[in-house]
Amino acid sequence: MNSLFIVTFTLFNAVTFGYSSELDYDGWLQIRLYHALNDDPIPYFTERGNITVTSIRTGAPTLAQMGLQPSQIANLETLAHRGTNYRLKAVIRSSSGTESTFLTSVPACHLLGTDLEDILTVWLDLAAEPVAINQISPGPCTLSKTSTNMWTTSIQIRYPDGGPTPDTASYIYKLEKEKEARERGEVKDNRSFLAKYWMYIVPALIFVVLTSAANPDAAAGGGNGGQRQ
């Protein structure tokens, strides 16, 4: 196995390890939640609570959320009767020091149907930085009064799906074997003349064109040599 295969295989493994180390990186997230219980085009956000994810690999959260006041429950019921959404804002700070703000929403009637139960999914990129947050509530949709004023929240941490990894090492090995077989004459080269020797033909054509362009007088003189004075 020659040095080209060894170097390429080493680089491929290094890149793969780099992505794996980012995916396996264990950091933390601090999430500040704010919600809007009004139905205006511009939401009026008030504080809902804080969530700390101590390990993004395990997704273990620590939640500290405030219960809804009677007036807030009444506003949530108004949103449900109007068929509108409960809006949530999340300000997420990661262990790298970056801070991002995300918006999400869920039908208000679903929160009434589950007695203020919701699921927050935080999506991270390959560098373990938050890129989105989604709120869902399983429902069912109902207009009945909630039996509690306390939130029941679950946190999920998700990475993007990487998809299948190409078998680059095997492909390079196959190319090397075919090259060695051609050099030993075991594989017949069925390429055309131009396909085999284009790297020699093209420079020759370029040289001819450049030579002709550099001597226009000689070409003109040759054309007038047959004219009678």
Side-chain angles (χ1 to χ4, degrees):
M1 190 178 298
N2 61 28
S3 58
L4 175 62
F5 174 76
I6 296 175
V7 172
T8 307
F9 183 75
T10 303
L11 291 174
F12 174 75
N13 284 340
V15 172
T16 304
F17 175 77
Y19 279 111
S20 299
S21 62
E22 288 178 343
L23 287 174
D24 293 337
Y25 172 70
D26 191 17
W28 50 261
L29 298 174
Q30 292 179 344
I31 307 173
R32 301 196 306 274
L33 297 179
Y34 303 87
H35 55 185
L37 295 167
N38 65 321
D39 194 23
D40 300 330
I42 300 177
Y44 174 69
F45 288 106
T46 58
E47 187 176 0
R48 167 173 157 172
N50 297 284
I51 300 174
T52 300
V53 180
T54 56
S55 171
I56 60 175
R57 275 195 295 188
T58 62
T62 300
L63 296 90
Q65 300 189 88
M66 296 177 291
L68 293 179
Q69 300 296 322
S71 60
Q72 293 177 315
I73 294 177
N75 290 337
L76 182 62
E77 292 173 352
T78 300
L79 293 178
H81 280 85
R82 292 178 179 177
T84 53
N85 286 350
Y86 164 90
R87 291 170 287 184
L88 185 71
K89 179 172 71 173
V91 181
I92 306 179
R93 182 178 180 84
S94 68
S95 52
S96 67
T98 61
E99 188 173 282
S100 305
T101 301
F102 304 97
L103 300 175
T104 184
S105 63
V106 69
C109 62
H110 283 206
L111 292 174
L112 294 182
T114 57
D115 288 330
L116 304 183
E117 178 183 351
D118 60 356
I119 302 170
L120 300 180
T121 302
V122 180
W123 291 89
L124 306 179
D125 62 13
L126 294 177
E129 293 295 333
V131 293
I133 186 170
N134 296 109
Q135 179 192 30
I136 63 172
S137 184
C141 178
T142 181
L143 302 180
S144 302
K145 291 183 178 294
T146 176
S147 61
T148 180
N149 70 329
M150 298 301 299
W151 294 99
T152 302
T153 301
S154 300
I155 302 296
Q156 297 179 348
I157 305 297
R158 293 287 183 268
Y159 290 100
D161 295 332
T165 302
D167 191 0
T168 309
S170 298
Y171 178 71
I172 295 175
Y173 180 77
K174 178 181 177 182
L175 293 180
E176 292 298 327
K177 284 297 183 181
E178 292 178 354
K179 179 181 178 181
E180 293 175 2
R182 283 196 299 269
E183 291 174 351
R184 293 194 300 266
E186 297 176 2
V187 178
K188 185 178 180 181
D189 194 345
N190 295 321
R191 293 179 298 170
S192 65
F193 178 81
L194 290 177
K196 291 180 182 179
Y197 303 107
W198 65 268
M199 69 288 294
Y200 304 109
I201 298 173
V202 171
L205 291 175
I206 295 176
F207 176 77
V208 171
V209 171
L210 293 178
T211 303
S212 300
N215 298 282
D217 295 335
N224 296 328
Q227 297 180 0
R228 182 177 297 176
Q229 300 293 331

